[in-house]
Amino acid sequence: MKNVLVTLTSVSALVLGPAVGPAAAQNARALLQAADNAAGASRVNSIMYTGTGRISYLGQNFTTADDLPRVDMKTWSQTIDYGSKSAKEEMVRVQGNNPPRGGGAGFPITGEQRSTTLVSGNYAWNLNAQGQPQAQNDQAEVRQFMIWVTPHGFIKAALADPNATVTDREFISAGRTLRVVGFTTMGKYRATGEFDAQNMLERVVTWIPNPVMGDMQVEIRYTDWRDIGNGIKAPFHTHMHQGDHPLVRGMNYMDAQASDVKANVESASLTVPDAVRTAAAPRVNIQTTKLADGVWLIAGGSHNSVAVEFKDFATLIEAPLDDARANAVIAETKRLIPGKQIRYVVNTHHHWDHAGGLRTAYAEGATIVTNELNKNFYERVMLVPQPRSLSPDRLSQFPFATTGPGPGKLETYRERHAISDGDQSIISYHVQGFNHAGDMAIVYLPKSKILINADMGPPAAGTPVADVSLNSVALYNNIKRLKLDVSQHVPIHGNPSSNTDFERTVAPAAARARPANPEGQ
Ligand SMILES: [Zn+2]
């Protein structure tokens, strides 16, 4: 039997070998050289796009099935220097006529929001509001890779890969055949590009790592190619999706229309600021505070978790950010509550910064408690057992068999979910009338009268009425609706505070604002 298999394998290798092997690779080279001639990629050392458009907040949609929340780019510019592998993107964002539904830092925008992101080789940074560089070196790899999927960068990087291959793809409904080139760069990133009959790059499909989506698909369409002189052509229109999946398609991430494109601009290469060059690698920081008997706040980063001890098990409220944070929070929970299994992880909402560690808690064996709106996305996208090639995590490296046994468990609810042993309880309540997330929960601990919220404040004590956010007003209205007896607020972002301060600060704003958004629109 073994011999037969060997024979079959060698026969098919003989038959198929030449068709998909070196000949295909050679075709890619010829096509890429034609594409280089057509767009003038080799003549482009640097390039600067300026224009306007729209940009979205990744992983911050109202529900998992909605498109990403978007704002307008009142101004936009992107400068790339291929030789030094540097890129700078600047934009001024305004809310425009875009619906204020969904989340994101500073969303919805009041006034203008400036953003400057930069990369140079293995260094990456942002500029803050004061124009000072903020190191983002853990972003450098992906930002550098994105240089190689720009229109001219694609051709340069594909030409640099001796193993680049090409295949025909027939778009039958459109009645035409495109040629698709695939290449690998930086040792692991794969990109594919569709070229038309004139050898122009129409579309790039690629993948970047993401804690929720895994190898997350990115699609970039380049249209409106124009001659910009010197035998160089550039696309004036760019349209990008991020995070599309058969279950959640149509995630519009960016759309930019250039008014001007200039090649070989002066001082396009960037100098890495000393503060960025010497910045320490970010590390997971854990700081624990006891909030009540059997209740601990696990802080120390941008997002908190709360560990709760029950008679026979432990429970974690929120597993945010990513695999690294979640593993540290789990280890801390085991230190605080030794010898008891983490049976549940309670999730406030599906936004990726709040859900990015759920896979890890799931790999630990915990059952995920979340709103029923998230069931499909969590089961069929976020928790899938497929490998993650770009950034493996605990669940992808140690998957459960799909036949079981394994946790494979979600507990979903519409309005209310309770975990209780008769003494300690955790109750999740679905938040109503809230624009930030349709699945948002506030989490109440009746024994200690602690209320945990994500992205709803509370505002600092003494915040003027006019500055109290609609999010905090929604928190206030839901506490009243549910008649919750709260003594302490424990936010996922920031420090605990008293309900006395909350009442004093938010009640006047709630009286003015009512009803904020009765139908959650
Ligand atoms: Zn959120």
Side-chain angles (χ1 to χ4, degrees):
M1 201 56 207
K2 205 174 178 186
N3 284 337
V4 175
L5 277 177
V6 168
T7 312
L8 282 175
T9 309
S10 14
V11 168
S12 52
L14 276 174
V15 173
L16 296 174
V20 297
Q26 203 172 348
N27 284 348
R29 185 140 202 98
L31 170 61
L32 288 165
Q33 270 155 1
D36 187 7
N37 286 337
S42 294
R43 296 193 193 93
V44 181
N45 301 316
S46 65
I47 194 158
M48 179 174 173
Y49 296 82
T50 50
T52 56
R54 296 191 303 265
I55 184 92
S56 301
Y57 295 80
L58 190 65
Q60 298 288 335
N61 43 8
F62 183 65
T63 72
T64 58
D66 283 290
D67 194 0
L68 304 172
R70 63 169 71 148
V71 295
D72 289 348
M73 296 192 290
K74 187 179 154 190
T75 63
W76 166 73
S77 81
Q78 188 186 22
T79 307
I80 300 148
D81 183 67
Y82 291 107
S84 65
K85 299 174 189 166
S86 62
K88 175 181 185 177
E89 188 170 37
E90 291 180 282
M91 62 185 77
V92 172
R93 306 170 184 183
V94 294
Q95 188 61 32
N97 291 322
N98 303 291
R101 234 164 65 127
F107 180 89
I109 295 173
T110 318
E112 296 187 343
Q113 190 183 77
R114 245 159 231 286
S115 147
T116 308
T117 54
L118 308 98
V119 60
S120 180
N122 297 325
Y123 298 99
W125 65 104
N126 295 348
L127 296 186
N128 67 10
Q130 288 73 44
Q132 297 155 333
Q134 310 291 304
Q136 302 277 320
N137 292 330
D138 55 342
Q139 300 294 312
E141 191 178 279
V142 168
R143 286 188 193 172
Q144 189 191 134
F145 168 64
M146 292 304 281
I147 292 175
W148 306 121
V149 289
T150 59
H152 305 98
F154 185 98
I155 296 167
K156 288 171 186 282
L159 277 168
D161 178 5
N163 298 314
T165 50
V166 65
T167 183
D168 281 353
R169 179 174 288 162
E170 291 180 41
F171 288 88
I172 292 175
S173 58
R176 60 198 199 120
T177 301
L178 294 175
R179 280 156 304 157
V180 191
V181 171
F183 71 94
T184 304
T185 187
M186 298 168 65
K188 68 175 185 186
Y189 289 90
R190 180 160 179 84
T192 66
E194 295 168 5
F195 288 84
D196 68 13
Q198 285 71 48
N199 305 312
M200 304 307 289
L201 180 59
E202 286 194 354
R203 170 154 61 178
V204 172
V205 176
T206 185
W207 300 266
I208 59 176
N210 178 273
V212 168
M213 300 298 294
D215 294 355
M216 178 175 76
Q217 191 166 92
V218 175
E219 176 190 343
I220 316 170
R221 285 177 231 155
Y222 296 122
T223 49
D224 193 11
W225 284 85
R226 299 185 205 172
D227 209 316
I228 59 165
N230 245 337
I232 299 167
K233 288 196 179 74
F236 275 56
H237 186 222
T238 300
H239 182 80
M240 189 188 305
H241 284 213
Q242 288 200 6
D244 279 354
H245 182 281
L247 212 71
V248 287
R249 54 184 102 215
M251 295 293 153
N252 288 280
Y253 180 70
M254 190 185 91
D255 190 280
Q257 180 65 48
S259 49
D260 189 34
V261 183
K262 281 191 175 66
N264 302 327
V265 290
E266 301 230 331
S267 53
S269 78
L270 300 170
T271 306
V272 180
D274 284 343
V276 174
R277 203 175 279 279
T278 58
R283 55 181 206 83
V284 178
N285 186 30
I286 295 286
Q287 274 172 23
T288 297
T289 316
K290 186 172 178 182
L291 296 171
D293 273 352
V295 184
W296 294 268
L297 176 69
I298 304 177
S302 58
H303 294 61
N304 303 328
S305 298
V306 176
V308 182
E309 181 168 16
F310 287 80
K311 223 177 292 162
D312 302 320
F313 57 89
T315 289
L316 201 51
I317 299 161
E318 208 78 318
L321 295 175
D322 55 22
D323 196 48
R325 176 87 201 163
N327 276 313
V329 168
I330 287 167
E332 178 67 358
T333 304
K334 290 176 163 228
R335 188 186 71 79
L336 295 164
I337 310 172
K340 293 186 184 176
Q341 185 207 7
I342 301 173
R343 192 172 293 175
Y344 299 98
V345 55
V346 176
N347 169 225
T348 60
H349 66 308
H350 72 284
H351 287 169
W352 292 3
D353 56 323
H354 291 263
L358 287 177
R359 281 173 58 87
T360 311
Y362 189 77
E364 172 70 21
T367 290
I368 295 172
V369 176
T370 194
N371 193 279
E372 66 180 17
L373 284 173
N374 300 331
K375 186 174 164 55
N376 244 1
F377 182 79
Y378 282 20
E379 280 181 349
R380 297 169 67 187
V381 182
M382 187 170 75
L383 299 172
V384 293
Q386 275 76 6
R388 296 181 157 209
S389 66
L390 297 170
S391 183
D393 65 4
R394 182 166 163 188
L395 187 58
S396 72
Q397 288 172 310
F398 302 96
F400 294 102
T402 50
T403 53
K409 272 207 267 177
L410 279 186
E411 276 188 26
T412 61
Y413 62 93
R414 186 187 295 259
E415 293 298 332
R416 182 183 185 278
H417 179 278
I419 299 167
S420 182
D421 62 5
D423 176 39
Q424 187 66 271
S425 312
I426 296 175
I427 308 177
S428 303
Y429 291 103
H430 176 219
V431 171
Q432 296 183 359
F434 190 41
N435 268 334
H436 181 89
D439 62 317
M440 182 63 85
I442 46 178
V443 183
Y444 184 55
L445 276 51
K447 190 180 172 191
S448 50
K449 299 183 180 176
I450 286 172
L451 184 65
I452 297 153
N453 86 80
D455 302 343
M456 303 184 81
T463 298
V465 178
D467 295 345
V468 172
S469 73
L470 285 176
N471 293 14
S472 291
V473 170
L475 177 58
Y476 179 92
N477 289 341
N478 278 277
I479 291 171
K480 299 299 168 192
R481 175 178 68 84
L482 296 162
K483 300 186 172 62
L484 301 180
D485 180 9
V486 178
S487 70
Q488 194 180 20
H489 289 269
V490 176
I492 298 298
H493 301 287
N495 299 317
S497 57
S498 77
N499 191 56
T500 316
D501 282 344
F502 179 76
E503 281 279 343
R504 200 179 295 136
T505 310
V506 184
R512 272 172 41 150
R514 191 169 310 145
N517 284 293
E519 273 118 47
Q521 299 299 305

